[in-house]
């Protein structure tokens, strides 16, 4: 994620670090690179222009010139500015008491409203609420059917009608919710262009009739420069309360996050990070800013690691490293934990500095599978004591794992090497808690593709 | 100038158009679409309609946007106007805001400055002409027509990220072929998303195409295979294979696409004859990554640029040509099946400055 922007910014900062003090000139050069990076991340042209102006003002002041580490300081200024632009942090989901809490989702075609509706309903359900999903998209063929299927998956009722006018439909859905004791009503409206006056008027009417507690603008994270136009228009017509950025699990740099906040003043509340219905996360401006600036998204990585590794396991692993009693069994266990954390490439990109260092390297998930197969084809004794593995053992393991004796040799060699490295690199600390992840992986897992 | 000519034409036609309210009301009568909506004149073949389609489609696509958006460059390209920093900056802003990408724009701006210094560009009108020629250069040498198989059926595979507009685009292609008198079969290969099969089925009914479907959750490669079996048995002319939306960074899902493609070529030699990536015109620079990774996985042969009827200009398809050569073959300009047109570089580039 954010590879390109990270790359160019790191180049700038490396250059700045090399100099004693900032001058007006080298700020200009640096900021030009920052501008390019932000534009490549799809931050809107005008938003970038404003940002650069603000940063220039701050950077050319005494503050920076008197600083002992000017390079660090300009990173900080840009970082702060990005955090400021994207913050403050949106409130997590809140509800109103008394009448049902109506949440209305609006946005362009294909931005992910229906999936997000279901995700929000699931979230409300997990907070002890009784959500009702409302199929207000009577435009797109089978949209109602889609919501019904999702509702069924979640065990959440779906209100729908055959045809009819969406504003009246939503009002009836609201009445239905009151009658049936559903206290959260999520309106999945049809996708529409922000310049389609008729359909925008329809949204205003839905808003008037249902008095939503919260109107949320759903936006595809891959949106380019035009994000400002749609966000501005939806906001001016509906005064939405916040935005949800979807499809953030791809490699988009997500500049739309900056743009939306800048032109509407409304916070990003959630980000969609996958097709599964529990893949909705809160938005953290600082994490996003860190990512953009190539500081890596360590917080997310740590969280993922924590979710995958129990503390006592980590301690036991650390002890084994220290005592040099690490076995192939432990190694397999670690591999499987890493796999649980998500795609390797994505994990590595979160580590500070890895963004650019990974350039041209391809992480071989297939290689990981191969290692797993090899270890799984070994007996318990062999896993505990790899020295037992001789020629005939190798033959057998290779047959069992569809590899060659040569592969087995490679694995054993790498394992011994890794054991030694872990010992020297970490002493007593655990590998994951110290973010030593890549060092802990066998070298063969990365296929060199350097030019 | 062509630009002004088109603009003039658009301006005149606009007055005859239905009021927005009527247009929107018409949009809702979706059922009417397949029966009568926007049908070209009787007997006219698709190919001879090119000119008609370009102007009409472009006009319709832009009609909503033009009145609302004050173009950056409106009035700046006036006759006799000199080229100054201000004008160049406006040009730069317009191109970047069209999503062309900052690096391709920087290169182009350098080129423009050089041409100004050497006297090749003398005034604002000259600048505009130079700019357009240079941009059009990027689309030169492309075969914009679809690769049709000499022996039917022609197989077209469709792919793209979630929500890019695949299903609607398939409906549009289906409509286009049916209008040409071809027998069209759709393969409901999106077996993942809830109700995706139903959605395609409704479209098939509307545009008059046949459909092959399995249950949700079925193997999409098996659907694709069955579709080709059926197409051969029934003597179909065109098979359009839908696939589930997927982010290009999900390796396992991209492998699945590769498998679907392989199955197609196993059943019919040289199939698929076209592999189209459906790209949402509002997408920014991420489109380049999409194009690259989809090309790597299934060697896409063209782009279907969807949702060009909004305010987004889709300029990323211009910028990406610096890095990866992929022709745009169609553009989608609305929610109706007939809102499709062949990509027309001329009109597209003109629209950037409209």
């Amino acid at each position: 994620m954010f590879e390109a922007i990270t790359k160019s910014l790191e180049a700038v900062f490396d250059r700045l670090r090399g100099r004693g003090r900032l001058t007006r000139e080298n700020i200009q050069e640096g900021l030009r690179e920052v501008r390019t990076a932000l534009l490549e991340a799809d931050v809107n042209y005008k938003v970038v222009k404003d940002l650069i102006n603000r940063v220039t003002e701050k950077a050319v002041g005494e503050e920076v010139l008197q600083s002992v580490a000017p390079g660090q300081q300009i990173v900080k200024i840009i970082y702060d500015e990005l955090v400021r632009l994207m913050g403050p942090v949106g409130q997590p989901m809140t509800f109103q008491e008394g009448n049902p809490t109506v949440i209305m989702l609006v946005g362009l075609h294909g931005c992910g409203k229906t999936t997000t509706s279901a995700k929000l309903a699931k979230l409300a359900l997990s907070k002890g609420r009784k959500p009702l999903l409302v199929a207000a998209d009577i435009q797109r063929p089978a949209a109602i059917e889609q919501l019904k299927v999702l509702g069924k998956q979640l065990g959440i009722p779906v209100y729908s009608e055959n045809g009819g006018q969406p504003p009246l439909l939503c009002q009836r859905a609201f009445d239905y919710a009151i009658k049936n004791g559903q206290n959260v009503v999520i309106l999945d409206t049809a996708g529409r262009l922000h310049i389609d006056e008729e359909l925008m008027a329809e949204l205003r009417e839905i808003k008037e009739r249902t008095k939503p507690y919260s109107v949320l603008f759903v936006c595809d994270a891959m949106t380019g420069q035009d994000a400002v136009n749609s966000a501005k228009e939806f906001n001016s017509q509906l005064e939405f309360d916040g935005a949800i950025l979807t499809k953030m699990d791809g490699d988009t740099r997500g500049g739309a996050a900056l743009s939306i906040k800048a032109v509407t003043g409304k916070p990003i509340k959630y980000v969609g990070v996958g097709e599964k219905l529990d893949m909705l996360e809160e938005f953290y401006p600082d994490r996003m800013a860190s990512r953009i600036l190539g500081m890596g998204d360590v917080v997310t990585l740590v969280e993922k690691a924590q979710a995958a590794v129990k503390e006592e396991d980590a301690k036991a692993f650390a002890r084994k490293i220290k005592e040099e009693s690490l076995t192939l069994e432990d190694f397999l266990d670690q591999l499987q934990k890493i796999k649980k954390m998500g795609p390797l490439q994505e994990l590595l990109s979160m580590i500070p500095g890895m963004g650019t260092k990974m350039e041209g390297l391809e992480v071989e998930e297939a290689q990981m599978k191969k290692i797993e197969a090899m270890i799984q084809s070994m007996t318990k004794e062999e896993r505990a004591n790899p020295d037992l593995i001789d020629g005939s053992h190798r033959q057998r393991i290779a047959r069992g794992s569809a590899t060659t004796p040569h592969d087995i040799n490679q694995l054993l060699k790498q394992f011994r090497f890794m054991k030694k490295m872990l010992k020297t690199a970490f002493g007593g600390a655990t590998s994951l808690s110290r973010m030593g992840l890549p060092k802990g992986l066998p070298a063969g897992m990365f296929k060199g593709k350097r030019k | 100038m062509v630009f002004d000519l088109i603009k003039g034409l658009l301006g005149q036609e606009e007055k005859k158009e239905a009021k927005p309210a009527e247009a929107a009301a018409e949009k809702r009568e979706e059922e009417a679409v397949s029966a009568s909506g926007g049908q070209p004149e009787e007997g006219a073949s698709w190919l001879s309609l090119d000119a008609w389609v370009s102007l009409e489609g472009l006009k319709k696509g832009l009609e909503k946007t033009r009145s609302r958006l004050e173009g950056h460059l409106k009035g700046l390209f006036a006759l006799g106007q000199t080229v100054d920093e201000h004008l160049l900056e406006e040009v730069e802003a317009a191109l970047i805001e069209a999503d062309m990408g900052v690096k391709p724009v920087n290169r182009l701006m350098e080129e423009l400055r050089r041409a100004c210094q050497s006297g090749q560009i003398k005034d604002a009108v000259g600048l505009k002409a130079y700019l357009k020629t240079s941009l059009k250069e990027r689309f030169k040498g492309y075969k914009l027509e679809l690769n049709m198989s000499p022996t039917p059926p022609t197989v077209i595979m469709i792919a793209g990220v979630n929500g890019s507009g695949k299903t609607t685009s398939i409906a549009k292609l289906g409509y286009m072929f049916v209008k040409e008198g071809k027998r069209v079969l759709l393969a409901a290969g999106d077996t993942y998303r809830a109700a995706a099969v139903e959605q395609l089925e409704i479209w098939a009914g509307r545009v008059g195409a046949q459909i092959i479907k399995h249950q949700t959750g079925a193997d999409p490669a098996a659907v694709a295979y069955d579709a080709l079996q059926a197409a051969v048995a029934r003597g179909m002319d065109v098979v359009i294979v839908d696939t589930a939306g997927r982010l290009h960074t999900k390796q396992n899902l991209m492998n699945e696409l590769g498998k679907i493609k392989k199955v197609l070529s196993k059943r019919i030699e040289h199939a698929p004859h076209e592999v189209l990536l459906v790209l949402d015109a509002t997408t920014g620079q991420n489109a380049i990554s999409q194009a690259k990774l989809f090309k790597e996985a299934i060697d896409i042969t063209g782009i279907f640029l969807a949702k060009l009827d909004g305010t987004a200009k889709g300029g990323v398809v211009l910028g990406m040509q610096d890095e990866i050569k992929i022709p745009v073959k169609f553009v989608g300009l609305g929610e109706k099946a007939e809102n499709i047109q062949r990509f027309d570089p001329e009109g597209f580039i003109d629209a950037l400055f409209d």
Side-chain angles (χ1 to χ4, degrees):
Chain A
M1 239 187 210
F2 300 105
E3 250 175 66
I5 190 166
T6 301
K7 195 168 52 193
S8 52
L9 283 177
E10 273 179 10
V12 176
F13 301 141
D14 279 351
R15 238 173 292 154
L16 288 176
R17 277 183 197 117
R19 291 175 191 169
R21 274 166 196 276
L22 288 186
T23 65
R24 209 168 247 285
E25 286 68 39
N26 62 28
I27 285 177
Q28 287 311 317
E29 181 205 356
L31 290 178
R32 230 187 346 261
E33 298 266 357
V34 171
R35 174 181 179 274
T36 301
L38 292 171
L39 287 173
E40 283 190 329
D42 290 323
V43 182
N44 179 262
Y45 180 81
K46 292 193 190 81
V47 174
V48 171
K49 213 170 165 181
D50 288 350
L51 175 76
I52 296 296
N53 286 343
R54 261 198 310 276
V55 171
T56 311
E57 251 168 60
K58 284 186 191 173
V60 195
E62 285 173 66
E63 232 187 315
V64 168
L65 292 171
Q66 285 173 3
S67 159
V68 278
Q72 300 277 332
Q73 193 145 354
I74 196 161
V75 177
K76 180 81 168 71
I77 291 172
I78 292 166
Y79 172 82
D80 287 347
E81 201 58 36
L82 290 184
V83 174
R84 199 192 66 80
L85 253 175
M86 291 187 287
V89 184
Q91 293 275 325
M93 191 185 259
T94 54
F95 305 94
Q96 81 180 11
E97 296 311 322
N99 271 339
T101 302
V102 178
I103 301 171
M104 177 176 171
L105 296 189
V106 300
L108 301 174
H109 308 271
C111 61
K113 284 175 298 302
T114 305
T115 305
T116 306
S117 295
K119 286 177 177 178
L120 284 174
K122 187 174 195 303
L123 195 66
L125 192 68
S126 74
K127 293 186 188 260
R129 299 277 156 167
K130 293 178 73 183
L132 173 71
L133 281 163
V134 180
D137 180 359
I138 56 162
Q139 292 274 99
R140 182 162 60 89
I144 297 172
E145 191 56 37
Q146 186 186 353
L147 198 66
K148 277 185 182 165
V149 173
L150 295 176
K152 205 171 166 192
Q153 277 172 24
L154 296 169
I156 291 171
V158 176
Y159 183 89
S160 66
E161 292 177 7
N162 287 324
Q165 291 295 314
L168 295 169
L169 183 153
C170 289
Q171 194 170 26
R172 284 192 286 269
F174 184 78
D175 296 340
Y176 174 91
I178 294 179
K179 225 177 276 166
N180 292 275
Q182 305 295 130
N183 53 19
V184 176
V185 178
I186 297 170
L187 307 177
D188 177 27
T189 66
R192 65 201 72 212
L193 282 176
H194 49 293
I195 45 172
D196 191 325
E197 287 175 21
E198 186 79 6
L199 289 179
M200 291 302 283
E202 180 190 278
L203 283 184
R204 286 202 305 273
E205 199 187 333
I206 293 177
K207 192 184 171 185
E208 258 162 51
R209 285 179 184 271
T210 59
K211 303 262 179 300
Y213 177 70
S214 164
V215 179
L216 297 173
F217 175 64
V218 183
C219 181
D220 186 326
M222 297 177 277
T223 310
Q225 295 286 320
D226 200 50
V228 293
N229 293 325
S230 49
K232 220 188 277 173
E233 198 59 31
F234 270 96
N235 190 45
S236 78
Q237 304 241 6
L238 295 161
E239 283 184 60
F240 58 70
D241 300 278
I244 297 179
L245 216 55
T246 61
K247 308 177 205 171
M248 275 284 284
D249 46 331
D251 61 350
T252 178
R253 293 159 220 166
L258 258 161
S259 301
I260 293 171
K261 182 68 204 306
V263 297
T264 66
K266 303 294 167 63
I268 312 287
K269 296 216 167 193
Y270 289 101
V271 293
V273 292
E275 289 183 75
K276 295 207 183 86
L277 297 179
D278 56 354
M279 293 186 157
L280 189 69
E281 294 178 354
E282 279 175 45
F283 176 75
Y284 296 100
D286 47 344
R287 290 186 195 180
M288 190 85 168
S290 299
R291 256 173 167 163
I292 291 174
L293 288 175
M295 291 151 86
D297 188 1
V298 177
V299 189
T300 304
L301 179 62
V302 170
E303 274 181 2
K304 285 199 178 197
Q306 277 170 345
V309 186
K310 287 196 209 90
E311 208 190 331
E312 50 269 40
D313 289 352
K315 275 188 186 146
F317 189 69
R319 200 181 54 242
K320 284 180 176 168
I321 291 176
K322 220 170 169 180
E323 294 165 1
E324 275 186 271
S325 62
L326 207 62
T327 66
L328 279 165
E329 186 78 55
D330 300 318
F331 183 49
L332 181 65
D333 187 49
Q334 288 291 312
L335 274 187
Q336 278 159 351
K337 276 178 183 141
I338 292 167
K339 261 171 64 183
K340 255 203 299 197
M341 287 162 62
L344 208 48
Q345 189 90 60
E346 198 182 295
L347 289 178
L348 291 171
S349 67
M350 290 179 191
I351 298 166
M354 285 305 280
T356 51
K357 302 214 169 64
M358 291 302 295
E359 178 84 349
L361 279 175
E362 198 185 310
V363 180
E364 291 278 278
E365 303 254 358
Q367 181 73 12
M368 241 164 110
K369 273 199 195 127
K370 204 163 135 187
I371 293 173
E372 260 184 273
M374 286 191 276
I375 300 179
Q376 274 158 351
S377 300
M378 295 175 188
T379 64
K380 269 198 178 130
E381 290 73 32
E382 286 165 344
R383 292 186 206 183
N385 184 5
D387 293 335
L388 286 176
I389 300 170
D390 63 11
S392 70
H393 287 230
R394 266 197 297 275
Q395 288 284 359
R396 197 202 71 244
I397 298 164
R399 266 200 309 278
S401 56
T403 54
T404 64
H406 176 71
D407 289 329
I408 311 287
N409 261 344
Q410 282 290 105
L411 171 68
L412 293 176
K413 218 189 272 173
Q414 281 167 7
F415 176 67
R416 282 187 205 108
F417 177 68
M418 186 195 75
K419 236 166 112 175
K420 216 186 286 168
M421 265 205 358
L422 281 176
K423 169 92 173 140
T424 42
F426 298 110
T430 67
S431 64
L432 285 175
S433 66
R434 287 272 301 265
M435 292 307 125
L437 215 48
K439 288 183 189 129
L441 300 173
M445 208 174 285
F446 306 101
K447 197 169 77 186
K449 258 196 182 172
R450 284 187 193 279
K451 285 146 218 161
Chain B
M1 257 186 145
V2 188
F3 177 73
D4 296 315
L5 181 72
I6 290 178
K7 229 177 149 182
L9 277 170
L10 296 181
Q12 279 173 10
E13 296 278 317
E14 191 181 25
K15 288 173 200 134
K16 292 183 221 153
E17 265 307 297
K19 289 190 185 80
E22 284 165 16
E26 180 190 273
K27 180 185 265 179
R28 276 154 195 274
E29 290 161 19
E30 296 215 4
E31 262 58 49
V33 167
S34 61
S36 61
Q39 226 168 321
E41 269 94 321
E42 277 300 301
S45 87
W46 173 260
L47 281 174
S48 65
L49 278 174
D50 262 2
W52 177 86
V53 168
S54 298
L55 283 181
E56 193 71 6
L58 192 69
K59 174 178 68 72
K60 280 197 173 149
L62 297 175
E63 140 196 22
K64 295 172 183 165
T65 72
R66 250 174 318 114
S67 56
R68 302 192 62 100
L69 276 190
E70 274 296 299
H72 268 286
L73 306 172
K74 215 167 244 178
L76 285 170
F77 283 138
L79 202 67
Q81 174 82 41
T82 52
V83 179
D84 55 11
E85 254 326 289
H86 175 65
L87 178 59
L88 287 172
E89 250 174 55
E90 292 288 335
V91 168
E92 186 191 16
L95 292 172
I96 287 177
E97 293 199 300
D99 285 316
M100 188 174 154
V102 61
K103 281 184 184 146
V105 171
N106 284 348
R107 283 192 284 273
L108 183 60
M109 293 312 291
E110 272 169 38
E111 190 187 321
L112 288 179
R113 281 175 211 276
R114 272 199 305 276
C116 284
Q117 275 160 12
S118 70
Q120 242 182 303
I121 296 174
K122 291 188 181 69
D123 55 10
V125 173
L127 175 70
K128 189 164 84 173
Y130 188 98
L131 190 57
K132 287 190 172 176
T133 313
S134 172
L135 289 174
K136 275 165 200 164
E137 201 67 21
R138 285 154 208 260
F139 290 126
K140 265 214 177 120
Y142 281 146
K143 183 186 168 210
L144 296 178
E145 295 79 42
L146 287 174
N147 296 311
M148 300 298 282
S149 171
T151 51
T154 293
V155 181
I156 302 173
M157 181 175 173
I158 306 289
V161 300
N162 313 69
S164 58
K166 283 177 298 302
T167 311
T168 311
S169 298
I170 289 169
K172 290 174 179 180
L173 286 169
Y175 172 86
M176 178 189 94
F177 286 120
V178 169
K179 278 278 155 283
E180 283 178 35
K182 296 204 162 74
R183 289 161 58 79
V184 179
L185 179 76
L186 308 183
D190 182 355
T191 56
Y192 180 81
R193 182 168 62 83
V197 175
E198 287 84 343
Q199 188 182 349
L200 194 69
E201 210 172 0
I202 293 170
W203 276 120
R206 284 185 190 170
V207 304
Q210 297 184 31
I211 186 167
I212 291 292
K213 56 168 185 170
H214 287 189
Q215 296 290 316
T216 297
D219 177 7
V223 179
Y225 188 86
D226 282 1
L228 293 203
Q229 284 288 86
V232 172
R234 300 179 196 172
M236 306 305 283
D237 299 307
V238 180
V239 185
I240 309 176
V241 182
D242 190 12
T243 61
R246 66 202 71 215
L247 289 179
H248 46 293
T249 48
K250 311 257 166 181
Q251 194 55 52
N252 54 337
L253 295 180
M254 295 306 277
N255 293 343
E256 182 191 83
L257 275 187
K259 183 182 159 201
I260 297 171
K261 192 183 172 196
K262 209 186 285 171
V263 163
L264 293 174
S265 64
K266 261 192 189 149
R267 183 62 190 78
I268 295 179
E269 210 187 346
H270 303 305
H273 307 90
E274 283 281 351
V275 184
L276 298 181
L277 172 70
V278 178
L279 183 70
D280 184 334
T282 59
T283 309
Q285 299 309 299
N286 192 250
I288 299 170
S289 177
Q290 289 179 26
K292 277 185 186 162
L293 293 179
F294 274 101
K295 188 163 174 77
E296 220 173 278
I298 47 170
D299 198 17
I300 51 173
T301 55
I303 286 173
F304 190 122
L305 190 60
K307 310 187 207 173
L308 200 58
D309 51 333
T311 48
K313 307 270 188 180
V316 68
V317 299
L318 263 172
M320 72 166 63
Q321 304 299 332
D322 284 8
E323 283 190 58
I324 179 171
K325 291 270 173 199
I326 298 173
V328 181
K329 299 210 166 177
F330 293 95
V331 299
L333 289 157
E335 287 175 88
K336 291 195 235 168
E338 73 266 27
N339 298 146
I340 175 177
Q341 59 162 296
R342 275 164 196 279
F343 180 64
D344 161 31
E346 193 96 3
F348 179 77
I349 286 159
D350 285 340
L352 288 182
F353 303 105
D354 210 8

